[in-house]
Amino acid sequence: MSGVHQFVPMLHLGDAVGQHTEELQALLRRLGVRSEIYVELEDPETGHLTRHMDRYAVDAAPGDLLVYQLATASDMAGWLASRQEPLVVNYHNLTPPELIAPWDNGLARHQVRATGERDRLAGRSVLGVAVSEVNRADLVAAGYRATAVVPPIVRLIDGCGAADLDAGGRAGGPPEVGTERTEVGAEGTEVGAEGAARPRRRGARWLSVGRLAPNKALEHAMVSLLAYRMRHDPDAELVIAGRPAFPAYARALRRFAAELGLARAVHFEGRVSDRTLAGLYRSADVLVVVSAHEGFCLPVVEAMAHRLPVVALARGALPEVLGGAGVLLDEPDPLTVADAVWTLQSDKAARARAVANGCDRMVSLGLAGAGRRLVDLLLAARDRRPWPGEVRTATR
Amino acid sequence: MTSAGPTPDDGAGTLPAFLRELTGSFRRLRPQGSLRWNFSDAWVRLERSRARLLEDIGDQQPQPRGGAGPDGGERRGARTPSLDVLGRARARLRPLFETAAPQDRQDARWREMTEALDAALEALRYLTARVEALEDAAELHRRPVDGLDWLMAPQPLGHWAGPVSDRLAGAGGPVLHAECGAGELALALAIDRVVEGVEPRSGVAWTATEAGLRVHPVPVPDHLAALEPEVLGALVLSGVVDRLALEDLLALVELATGRLQHGGVLVVIGTDPAVVPADPLAGELLPGHPLRPETWALLLERSGYREVATLEPPAEVTAGSTFAVGGRRP
């Protein structure tokens, strides 16, 4: 019996690609389609969910469709290229090596290799599925003949579940401006990440979510925070939630914060649980995204779901994902970022508008139907049926 | 260099320039590279070019390794991609070799060339690893001076404007005050000169910037190192000279001397060591102790400066709090 099997170099819990892969498998199985997840390297946390790719030679059945979840370099790419089964590349974006090189030569070279693998798979794939139009442009440039855009399948953290997605996210309506958004713990303290208490805040709380990686350009957020504190609110702070994916970059950020005199105003929370992250979204005043490159940026969606306004830089997929909600800036000028945040903090109408637009945008992004759309595409590929209308084809 | 003067918030004015430079200063914390060059960028370009070359050669007729057979199982006996690439490269480059060597030497020449290229690339990889190890080691042993900057408030030095201005008489070219603190002295000197400041404490630098001074928000040694040789008419050093260990002070003076024009003036405004123990925080945290004026005079003389003298303190200076020593570069 033919199946739709996924290949991913490693399956990580709590990582967007890992979550997407797991959800896709669940959807396929629910429809009675055989679906396994094959990996090149086993993650001890997910070993029970995966099989080594060598095992596929035994499992293979006529009529199988293979799906490659591409977000990094892997020997798996060459191996898949050599197979005869139809292949779909589900592309989650690659960070440009130039952004990584000054911080980690090894990883930068890895990205160079991944880019080559992505491009070489173009001729071998029946379809390239990108999570955003920006990513689709990469695929088209690489020579993929049939492409489609389907957002990642996400399981939003507590507080912004499927009910929000389906109901338009406005059931509760935007919060009153000035409403205390902070989870208050013991008297005079707040509950920080992983339950740690820190002094109760007086100023605005900026939030940044995502791994500490050079493409996030968190140094821009810090200088913008400095400008905000000098101009508008000397007690403002920045909370950064995300694992330090590049140790050298993370060390530099801490040192930079100290040099800016922000050692006590910038909080590095590290990797946090879903529950803690939900608390951070609730207690923050604004999500600030000044990344130099983003392939999708799930935190923007999570922020909109938590009715948290977003100030973002127009880079990568951010204009597409934000889609007119929040505040989109052309340049990472610190004064402009600071003034944009201040507008959201001081202008009730502007804040309410940003929150309402975010709720609308969550619905129009089509996240709730993403899984079903992707499954439809994959089954069309497996069964060699005509493509649905959303697939664009190019002639070579 | 540009002078003090533009209003803080005009489009291309001091504050935006300050913020751009402040953000850009983060680059100096990169472990691989510096403000002016980056080893890794060059390395990535090299790897990418090589990958494209191999891809270009290899894509003529792809022969994947271990492909699936008709039954879905592994296909045996396919050539490895690397051998395939070499074969195709040989075929493509053969015309070049035909003109360069006799037929029986062509294959040997090709092997020699590819081996040389691979060896060069491998050597670069080893060099990269070595550079990374050295940079990591340097990072580990770096003194925590810069990290402590923000703890200490700068001393206002505006009252030194008279004596320092007199000492700068005859010095042509731009003046740099490092560290300039909130900019009182630099702004006073800027009345009839082109003056810029260096101040690593960003909050303090912000204040100076908003007052209209062009400020570079980076550590003093970093800024001096980035300047061209012999561009300064005069350099006023303060703040940083109170914190550095002796070996770093010697390096700083050498660096400063190289940035001064011939005939340029160096003025050091220091804190009298006698007053330092009164500040227990500084006493505990400072890696170096301030030098006495006599020591500074000796240091400047030994560094080749002429007309070395202690400046007459202005009336506002509390006895023993700060002093200034100046000299002229020959």
Side-chain angles (χ1 to χ4, degrees):
Chain A
M1 181 180 155
S2 66
V4 176
H5 302 293
Q6 298 184 80
F7 291 78
V8 61
M10 264 182 109
L11 185 72
H12 297 297
L13 287 176
D15 144 312
V17 177
Q19 193 185 114
H20 171 87
T21 306
E22 274 190 80
E23 293 288 319
L24 178 58
Q25 183 192 44
L27 280 170
L28 287 164
R29 285 181 169 178
R30 230 174 281 155
L31 294 172
V33 179
R34 276 184 62 221
S35 182
E36 301 295 341
I37 298 171
Y38 294 92
V39 296
E40 181 190 358
L41 296 169
E42 188 178 284
D43 180 332
E45 285 188 312
T46 59
H48 62 290
L49 301 173
T50 62
R51 300 178 179 188
H52 190 269
M53 61 193 231
D54 286 347
R55 169 84 184 273
Y56 181 69
V58 178
D59 296 345
D64 275 355
L65 175 75
L66 311 187
V67 181
Y68 183 38
Q69 302 293 349
L70 198 166
T72 186
S74 164
D75 285 347
M76 199 171 244
W79 185 86
L80 284 166
S82 73
R83 300 289 312 180
Q84 287 190 328
E85 294 84 358
L87 175 70
V88 171
V89 170
N90 197 174
Y91 177 50
H92 297 265
N93 194 253
L94 296 170
T95 304
E98 295 84 357
L99 296 176
I100 298 173
W103 302 96
D104 193 320
N105 261 317
L107 277 175
R109 291 199 294 273
H110 200 69
Q111 293 300 90
V112 172
R113 182 184 150 201
T115 308
E117 289 173 356
R118 178 196 65 198
D119 297 355
R120 277 191 289 279
L121 285 174
R124 171 68 185 79
S125 308
V126 295
L127 177 67
V129 180
V131 296
S132 65
E133 285 291 348
V134 168
N135 289 349
R136 189 215 292 257
D138 286 346
L139 295 181
V140 171
Y144 284 75
R145 280 163 294 180
T147 56
V149 174
V150 180
I153 310 172
V154 293
R155 187 176 53 227
L156 290 177
I157 58 176
D158 289 348
C160 50
D164 281 335
L165 292 173
D166 295 336
R170 301 183 78 163
E176 289 293 317
V177 174
T179 306
E180 181 55 78
R181 297 171 61 86
T182 307
E183 286 181 354
V184 178
E187 189 174 354
T189 65
E190 290 174 13
V191 179
E194 311 303 354
R198 56 170 172 255
R200 191 170 191 165
R201 70 191 169 101
R202 288 176 297 172
R205 177 174 292 169
W206 298 23
L207 179 63
S208 168
V209 178
R211 63 199 187 116
L212 272 60
N215 63 299
K216 303 290 181 186
L218 289 165
E219 63 275 17
H220 285 293
M222 288 187 189
V223 177
S224 300
L225 177 72
L226 177 76
Y228 187 81
R229 285 164 61 95
M230 301 299 284
R231 278 271 168 105
H232 305 296
D233 178 357
D235 296 316
E237 60 184 16
L238 169 65
V239 177
I240 299 173
R243 70 184 168 89
F246 292 74
Y249 182 68
R251 278 198 303 273
L253 285 176
R254 286 179 185 276
R255 179 169 168 160
F256 197 49
E259 289 184 355
L260 294 177
L262 298 174
R264 293 179 185 173
V266 177
H267 308 284
F268 294 91
E269 304 290 359
R271 183 177 171 181
V272 299
S273 66
D274 281 359
R275 181 171 168 273
T276 301
L277 183 57
L280 290 175
Y281 279 121
R282 282 196 295 273
S283 68
D285 293 296
V286 63
L287 180 80
V288 176
V289 186
V290 285
S291 303
H293 177 85
E294 286 286 355
F296 186 80
C297 199
L298 191 55
V300 166
V301 178
E302 292 174 339
M304 293 191 294
H306 280 89
R307 300 172 180 84
L308 180 65
V310 179
V311 171
L313 195 59
R315 296 286 186 276
L318 284 167
E320 183 185 339
V321 175
L322 206 49
V327 180
L328 196 63
L329 305 173
D330 290 330
E331 294 299 328
D333 172 61
L335 288 174
T336 310
V337 175
D339 290 346
V341 174
W342 179 244
T343 300
L344 290 172
Q345 283 296 95
S346 58
D347 183 339
K348 290 183 180 184
R351 184 180 186 88
R353 219 168 26 248
V355 169
N357 289 343
C359 293
D360 291 342
R361 180 58 187 152
M362 264 193 55
V363 178
S364 61
L365 267 173
L367 294 172
R372 185 68 219 197
R373 283 171 58 208
L374 182 54
V375 167
D376 287 347
L377 286 172
L378 297 180
L379 294 181
R382 184 194 66 172
D383 302 339
R384 301 176 191 235
R385 285 189 270 116
W387 293 123
E390 63 190 301
V391 173
R392 278 192 218 153
T393 53
T395 50
R396 277 190 169 172
Chain B
M1 288 173 66
T2 55
S3 67
T7 54
D9 277 0
D10 60 5
T14 306
L15 189 53
F18 163 75
L19 288 169
R20 277 194 298 276
E21 194 167 344
L22 183 61
T23 308
S25 73
F26 182 70
R27 286 187 301 159
R28 77 182 191 284
L29 301 178
R30 292 170 169 187
Q32 297 158 25
S34 74
L35 284 174
R36 286 191 292 182
W37 58 269
N38 189 280
F39 184 79
S40 295
D41 288 345
W43 177 242
V44 164
R45 284 199 299 275
L46 176 65
E47 290 274 22
R48 180 177 277 166
S49 306
R50 182 172 177 271
R52 281 184 185 149
L53 176 66
L54 294 179
E55 187 182 332
D56 184 37
I57 294 166
D59 275 356
Q60 302 298 313
Q61 186 185 332
Q63 292 190 21
R65 165 176 62 116
D71 57 353
E74 296 293 315
R75 191 173 62 210
R76 304 286 176 193
R79 298 176 69 190
T80 63
S82 60
L83 286 176
D84 184 54
V85 165
L86 287 178
R88 306 216 148 267
R90 188 181 294 116
R92 175 175 268 209
L93 295 174
R94 186 172 295 280
L96 294 176
F97 284 94
E98 281 171 357
T99 60
Q103 182 70 35
D104 60 347
R105 291 279 296 146
Q106 287 167 20
D107 287 351
R109 290 286 293 275
W110 165 248
R111 274 197 303 277
E112 284 167 11
M113 190 184 79
T114 51
E115 281 172 12
L117 282 173
D118 286 346
L121 204 57
E122 198 57 25
L124 272 174
R125 290 196 178 108
Y126 282 122
L127 183 62
T128 306
R130 185 66 184 143
V131 168
E132 286 172 2
L134 288 171
E135 285 170 335
D136 286 348
E139 181 68 24
L140 287 176
H141 295 106
R142 184 173 289 175
R143 292 170 188 278
V145 175
D146 293 343
L148 294 177
D149 284 349
W150 63 276
L151 286 172
M152 290 165 284
Q155 295 194 64
L157 298 173
H159 48 266
W160 276 102
V164 172
S165 188
D166 291 346
R167 190 65 181 88
L168 299 191
V175 177
L176 185 70
H177 182 191
E179 297 159 341
C180 67
E184 302 94 339
L185 175 58
L187 286 166
L189 295 174
I191 290 171
D192 54 358
R193 295 179 183 84
V194 175
V195 181
E196 290 187 1
V198 176
E199 176 51 62
R201 288 157 289 202
S202 53
V204 178
W206 180 290
T207 306
T209 302
E210 290 212 305
L213 182 68
R214 177 78 176 90
V215 181
H216 303 280
V218 292
V220 175
D222 288 1
H223 183 72
L224 290 178
L227 288 178
E228 296 295 321
E230 300 179 4
V231 293
L232 298 175
L235 173 62
V236 181
L237 289 174
S238 64
V240 63
V241 294
D242 292 335
R243 296 196 307 273
L244 295 183
L246 185 58
E247 59 181 310
D248 296 326
L249 275 180
L250 295 173
L252 181 67
V253 170
E254 186 182 349
L255 188 58
T257 304
R259 298 300 178 258
L260 280 173
Q261 300 166 356
H262 294 284
V265 173
L266 174 65
V267 174
V268 175
I269 302 178
T271 301
D272 190 325
V275 305
V276 171
D279 182 348
L281 178 68
E284 284 183 18
L285 297 180
L286 297 188
H289 256 297
L291 303 183
R292 297 175 188 284
E294 297 83 357
T295 314
W296 269 113
L298 181 67
L299 181 56
L300 295 190
E301 283 170 357
R302 293 284 172 88
S303 298
Y305 283 80
R306 292 185 285 107
E307 304 167 26
V308 174
T310 302
L311 277 61
E312 188 66 29
E316 298 90 326
V317 171
T318 311
S321 60
T322 54
F323 61 85
V325 177
R328 188 179 300 276
R329 187 191 168 188

